[in-house]
Amino acid sequence: MRRIEVGGAQRYAVEVGAGLLSRLQVPQRHVALISPVDLPRQFVAAAQASLSPTVTITVPARDDCKTLTVLGGVLSKLAAANIPRDGAVVGLGGGAATDLAGFAAASYLRGVAFYTLPTTLLGMVDAAVGGKTGVNLPEGKNLVGAFHPPKAVWCDTDTLATLPAAVFREGAAEAYKHGLIADPSLLARVLSPEFRPGGANLEATLADAIAVKAGVVTRDLTEQGERAFLNFGHTLAHALEAVTDHAVTHGDAVGYGMHYAAVLSREMGGTDLTPHTWAFLKWQRPAPLPPLTFEAVLPYMARDKKADAQGVRFVLLHDLARPYLTRVPEPVLREAFRQWQEAVG
């Protein structure tokens, strides 16, 4: 088992290893377990056996759960179950379910304890660590939420064995991104045949990818500075999700978005890192995109959370592990979009 410490004002640990679901312990007596409807039943049963929850709440699968309507229903069920101020919410499932569960924990009674049990690669590497919680609006991704760090994160690698191969590859986008922005050793390791459920380097690579995010959020929980670098590739990715009404999954969108960010980085004078992002896309094999125009995508990019009063800002790379945040002139965005579309189309 690997253990990664996350520091800052609210310290917690991320544990990575096999069999963790059967060994869970929390100090709270009243626990609400939230999980998506498509989660394998054995994972829910294992968590229930460990935690003896007061109530188990089932929510829609994937991003269908990240709505204000679903959030309202979850909050009502917490109240109906009389979860007290010293109770806890445990999110079990993929990144969407844990995002929702965390926001419910942040909102209910103005904040109760939160624990995360991610069961997907995407959830383990990204959503479960860092305290970002929230839901989507029709106008864009993650526009409503709160910073509410968990008390602990448990990444049971046994759960990854049930993932379809495409879903595992989807989640690898966030691990590869951590290689691009901070730890280039991850690039070859993610593309290695041993980076797979049950693979020899799975646990170590996963722990090192999580450690990148843990270090960033320890230094910058509320995204006042370097935490924005974790959004490399996400400005276009979130736009692709929104403009297709989430027909494009998050991991696939990040794969596509990283390649666009690499093209932009090159156009803005940085080292040409498109061979790395193209190698990942070839490995990931994301679902094909529908026909898109720059005009259709641009309004969604403009609503990105990194935008300020002067407009949208992009995370780009001077070189491997040298990210920066900048504004990009619209003609450059448009030309990069043309080049990107030629490549991925």
Side-chain angles (χ1 to χ4, degrees):
M1 188 189 77
R2 308 288 177 119
R3 182 182 175 93
I4 303 102
E5 300 290 338
V6 184
Q10 301 179 58
R11 303 178 66 88
Y12 58 96
V14 181
E15 294 185 358
V16 181
L20 297 182
L21 276 178
S22 63
R23 306 196 299 270
L24 305 174
Q25 288 186 329
V26 300
Q28 291 80 10
R29 291 180 53 226
H30 300 280
V31 173
L33 179 66
I34 298 176
S35 63
V37 66
D38 62 341
L39 191 69
R41 178 62 198 171
Q42 66 265 31
F43 300 154
V44 180
Q48 288 174 322
S50 293
L51 298 170
S52 300
T54 304
V55 61
T56 298
I57 301 171
T58 303
V59 298
R62 301 184 75 102
D63 269 72
D64 286 346
C65 78
K66 289 184 61 170
T67 70
L68 292 173
T69 300
V70 173
L71 173 68
V74 169
L75 294 173
S76 290
K77 289 174 182 175
L78 294 176
N82 293 316
I83 299 297
R85 182 66 186 82
D86 60 355
V89 169
V90 177
L92 171 69
T98 58
D99 277 0
L100 170 72
F103 193 31
S107 306
Y108 180 68
L109 299 179
R110 298 187 177 89
V112 297
F114 174 50
Y115 296 87
T116 315
L117 289 162
T119 59
T120 65
L121 181 59
L122 186 65
M124 292 178 186
V125 175
D126 185 44
V129 181
K132 276 189 178 179
T133 69
V135 297
N136 306 327
L137 295 178
E139 292 77 12
K141 177 99 170 175
N142 293 328
L143 294 182
V144 180
F147 290 100
H148 192 61
K151 298 291 186 184
V153 179
W154 297 288
C155 300
D156 188 335
T157 54
D158 286 343
T159 65
L160 300 177
T162 67
L163 295 180
V167 176
F168 183 87
R169 294 194 305 269
E170 194 190 318
E174 297 286 358
Y176 200 79
K177 176 205 70 184
H178 291 170
L180 291 168
I181 67 169
D183 182 0
S185 76
L186 288 167
L187 301 179
R189 294 161 67 191
V190 167
L191 301 185
S192 162
E194 290 305 311
F195 187 64
R196 56 179 171 78
N201 79 347
L202 174 68
E203 188 174 305
T205 302
L206 182 54
D208 287 347
I210 291 170
V212 170
K213 184 165 187 180
V216 171
V217 300
T218 293
R219 297 184 294 269
D220 180 24
L221 174 64
T222 58
E223 202 167 302
Q224 301 305 302
E226 71 171 302
R227 183 164 183 170
F229 298 157
L230 293 170
N231 284 297
F232 180 76
H234 284 56
T235 302
L236 179 64
H238 287 162
L240 293 176
E241 292 177 80
V243 77
T244 63
D245 196 24
H246 302 286
V248 178
T249 63
H250 180 69
D252 282 359
V254 171
Y256 283 123
M258 289 192 298
H259 193 59
Y260 180 63
V263 174
L264 274 181
S265 298
R266 182 183 64 198
E267 292 297 296
M268 294 292 285
T271 299
D272 184 7
L273 301 176
T274 59
H276 291 289
T277 52
W278 186 247
F280 178 77
L281 278 176
K282 287 170 63 179
W283 178 88
Q284 186 188 35
R285 304 195 298 279
L289 291 170
L292 295 168
T293 65
F294 180 74
E295 286 69 23
V297 170
L298 182 60
Y300 291 97
M301 291 200 293
R303 295 188 192 115
D304 184 82
K305 298 188 301 300
K306 296 180 296 302
D308 59 17
Q310 298 177 61
V312 67
R313 298 177 296 168
F314 283 79
V315 179
L316 302 181
L317 290 167
H318 292 300
D319 202 344
L320 288 177
R322 292 182 58 202
Y324 68 105
L325 193 63
T326 189
R327 301 183 200 285
V328 181
E330 185 172 317
V332 179
L333 294 177
R334 186 181 297 272
E335 171 59 19
F337 189 85
R338 183 193 66 77
Q339 295 179 34
W340 167 83
Q341 204 161 36
E342 282 187 358
V344 303

